Each structure stands twice: as structure tokens, then as C-alpha cells.
Amino acid sequence: MCCADGPAGVRLFKDTGISTTAWPVATALASTWDTELLYKIGVAGGTEIKENNIGIWLMPGINIHRSPLCGRNFEYFSEDPYLSGMMSAAIVNGVQSVKVACSLKHFVCNNKEVNRRFCDSRVSERALREIYLKAFKIAVMDSGAYAVMTAYNKINGTFASTNYDLLMGVLRGEWDYEGIVMTDWNPCANPQ
């Protein structure tokens, strides 16, 4: 299945000669608190995805703004998990209304860009559930997202892409998620 990246619009290779719409970044969209607007943007973006024979749009990024130095903050909605979850669910519902998929990313605790393949996010279970997982939970439960992309980083010593407790315990077990779980490109992992 063909995928396209682009948190602020569908990103196609330049040599295709196809232009796509550039949308405001997630942080600007979240500042509207307007889920109807995000739904409409999702429909428009999903239509572009479908017109270009792409099956999965690799967005939205719904990690939490925890550091101003995170190179992906433009891709993430907010420092507030509730707002991030509601905005994500709205845009995913819009995209998926035209029968193409979204992949929520980066599950979970992706807090920085530099060395993100080898960093270890040390976090208590309470902070994990109340801050980092909450936005993903809202998006999964309220949108029925077809796909979730794991993060490169470790969480308390275990790579997110192989973290059994998070993937099977929380995502599949507690949230009854039945969609695709994909890794980010070229993951480093320690299978357990």
C-alpha cells in the first residue's frame, strides 16, 4: 500500500509534477479549537490522497510539546493531551470519511528530533497515561484510526516499536485497537 508523509499537506515527490495543498501546521490548527474546521481539512486532504492513488496519509503527529527544542513541534498540536487528541480525531475522521487511511504518529513519547533513534524517554506510568498516551487514546477511540506508527525512541529502556506492554497491553488490549501498527522508517529495535 502506498503511503505519503506530510503533516501540513500531502507530500509527493517533486518529480511527479503534482501540486498539493499546503495546510497550516498542526500547532496553528490546534489554536483554533475548531474540530469542524479540522474535519473539513481532513476531507480535503483525504481527497488529494485518494486522487493520487495513495492508501495511507502518515499523519497526524500527536506527540505532546514537551520541549521547545523538539524538531517536530510544528507537526504536533499542543502541550495539552486533550486538545491534541480532539484535533487529531477530527482530522482523522475527515480523512477517513473519503475511504483512505491515516497513521497516527509517533507512538509514543517522541520528545526530540536529535538522536531520537537512540534516546530513552524515562517516564512514570502515571505521566505516561495522563500526558503522553491520552492524546493517542482519544484519537484512537474517537476516530477509529486505521493505522498507528511507532516512534524510534525507547520508553523506560524498551524501544517503542517492540514495547509489548504498550502495543499489546494498552493499544490492543485496553483500547481494543484492531488497525495496522507500523514502525517508523528504518527502526532500530531490540525484539523482546
Side-chain angles (χ1 to χ4, degrees), residues 3-81:
C3 302
D5 209 356
V10 180
R11 187 180 311 147
L12 300 177
F13 288 111
K14 205 175 204 175
D15 59 3
T16 64
I18 299 169
S19 297
T20 59
T21 306
W23 300 103
V25 297
T27 309
L29 294 175
S31 69
T32 69
W33 288 76
D34 190 341
T35 54
E36 289 179 27
L37 173 65
L38 270 77
Y39 180 87
K40 290 175 185 176
I41 290 171
V43 170
T47 301
E48 284 187 349
I49 286 282
K50 194 171 192 173
E51 287 172 353
N52 288 288
N53 297 316
I54 297 167
I56 302 176
W57 191 3
L58 304 176
M59 63 80 72
I62 53 177
N63 290 95
I64 301 301
H65 290 188
R66 297 299 288 170
S67 166
L69 303 178
C70 179
R72 296 267 178 135
N73 277 348
F74 74 95
E75 193 171 334
Y76 303 145
F77 290 99
S78 171
E79 72 282 353
D80 181 80

Side-chain angles (χ1 to χ4, degrees), residues 50-120:
K50 194 171 192 173
E51 287 172 353
N52 288 288
N53 297 316
I54 297 167
I56 302 176
W57 191 3
L58 304 176
M59 63 80 72
I62 53 177
N63 290 95
I64 301 301
H65 290 188
R66 297 299 288 170
S67 166
L69 303 178
C70 179
R72 296 267 178 135
N73 277 348
F74 74 95
E75 193 171 334
Y76 303 145
F77 290 99
S78 171
E79 72 282 353
D80 181 80
Y82 178 77
L83 178 60
S84 296
M86 295 305 292
M87 298 294 106
S88 298
I91 204 162
V92 170
N93 281 325
V95 171
Q96 294 185 169
S97 74
V98 296
K99 307 300 183 213
V100 294
C102 276
S103 182
L104 308 175
K105 61 183 194 178
H106 303 92
F107 190 75
V108 66
C109 295
N110 186 60
N111 294 329
K112 65 180 196 168
E113 192 65 14
V114 176
N115 200 34
R116 68 185 178 128
R117 291 174 185 253
F118 304 103
C119 68
D120 190 0

Side-chain angles (χ1 to χ4, degrees), residues 113-156:
E113 192 65 14
V114 176
N115 200 34
R116 68 185 178 128
R117 291 174 185 253
F118 304 103
C119 68
D120 190 0
S121 298
R122 297 292 179 156
V123 60
S124 70
E125 182 175 355
R126 180 177 179 181
L128 185 64
R129 289 183 178 276
E130 292 180 4
I131 299 170
Y132 296 99
L133 289 173
K134 187 172 186 166
F136 281 96
K137 181 179 182 178
I138 292 167
V140 165
M141 305 294 258
D142 291 357
S143 73
Y146 298 151
V148 171
M149 179 187 289
T150 60
Y152 286 130
N153 57 283
K154 293 178 184 176
I155 301 149
N156 296 329

